[in-house]
Amino acid sequence: MPLLPKTPSPSRRTLLRGLGGSAALGALGTLAGCGVPAAYVAPGDRAATDRSATERRLTWANWPLYIDTDDRHPSRRPTLEAFEKETGLSVDYIEEINDNDEFFGKISPSLMNHQPTDRDLIVISDWMCGRFVRLGWVQEMDRSRQPNVAKYLDPLLRSPAFDPGRKFTVPWQSGITGIAYNRRRLGREIRHVSDLWAADLKGRVTLLSGMDEAFALLMQGNGVDITDWKTDDFHRICDQVEKQVAKGQIRRFTGNDYIKDLSSGDVLACQAYSGDVIQLQADDPDIEFVVPEEGAELWAESLMIPDLARHKANAERLIDHYYRPEVAAELAAWVNYVCPVPAARDVLASSDDEETAALAEDPLIFPDAAMRERLAIARDISAGERTEFAKRWNGIVGV
């Protein structure tokens, strides 16, 4: 397998997920008040006649920069073209998702009105996937058509609270929200969430501005089991963050722009995403990413088949293609996120290319055993909690 070039961090990581979630819920409430039929779709109303056998195609909506491309011909996607050649299926691949909330607004009118979205496969963040699952807007997948998913899906990702057993969703790529810091400039290690509040970091720390992105890691610093956190746990975190803001400990709250602050040295430590840090380390090896001893959040962006999709079997077949270890390895070498197929590690390790083989040893792509023990998927913020929590968090962030 040739070494694939690293791409810039996808813009989807810049969104303020807490704000987006509140807006989406507000939109649903407004529509319901205007006489729009109830949003929930019962299981018996989710499927359309599957045309997969006669229409050898499907439509797939994804985020920009989230699939491998050919180095010489950027419009070509090798793993996708291999699927088309092998199966004879044609894939209309659309890079139209730039924000979870924006995409929700684009397709929710069709879904709540029991109309097709004209998409057979979509990729959105797991916190938004949870909303789709609760509303009945996605179809249960047929695992008999997905033997690779059944065999190779990472056990850590198999049963999130919003979709036990992963019946409706399959991770596309995964990642970790942890702490990044410049070890040379700081002159010491960071091992705990509480290290962010040390005196020598005053005014040189940033936190993520999105509520869904920020709270879990901070809770873990308090020893909270984020798979089953309570309302009091959230408000305790808010109290602590307010105190640090008042002290001047926190420089600001950021989206993806923490990268610039960390690179320039204006910030010495920050909440960060594992995929971003891999790319930062290529330019500055002094930047380190740490999963605190108390733990860190494991997240994913997942594939789903929306209601009334006309090519369900074709979509299921495409998903399973990406769970072949050799295909997952090729994709992982390009996007550099946590690979949801651990078996891809051996494929990369066997590469004749030294740099490609080295990716198999990167714990930010294939977390080692010690790191895996400290990773957890946070339970989602429920619809009933979101308005209250977003109001308090956004007040602290200053939105």
Side-chain angles (χ1 to χ4, degrees), residues 176-180 208 217 258 262 270-274 276-277 289:
I176 303 166
T177 301
I179 296 172
L208 293 167
L217 179 72
Y258 68 81
L262 189 61
C270 59
Q271 282 188 314
Y273 306 117
S274 55
D276 289 341
V277 175
F289 182 88

Side-chain angles (χ1 to χ4, degrees), residues 179-199:
I179 296 172
Y181 70 104
N182 191 306
R183 185 172 181 176
R184 178 179 58 81
R185 286 176 170 150
L186 182 57
R188 61 178 175 83
E189 289 186 343
I190 285 180
R191 298 174 58 189
H192 303 277
V193 174
S194 60
D195 290 343
L196 293 174
W197 317 137

Side-chain angles (χ1 to χ4, degrees), residues 55-57 82-91 317:
E55 297 180 359
R56 308 286 292 164
R57 61 184 178 85
F83 171 79
E84 292 178 312
K85 182 177 181 180
E86 177 183 323
T87 63
L89 298 177
S90 174
V91 181
R317 192 172 181 182

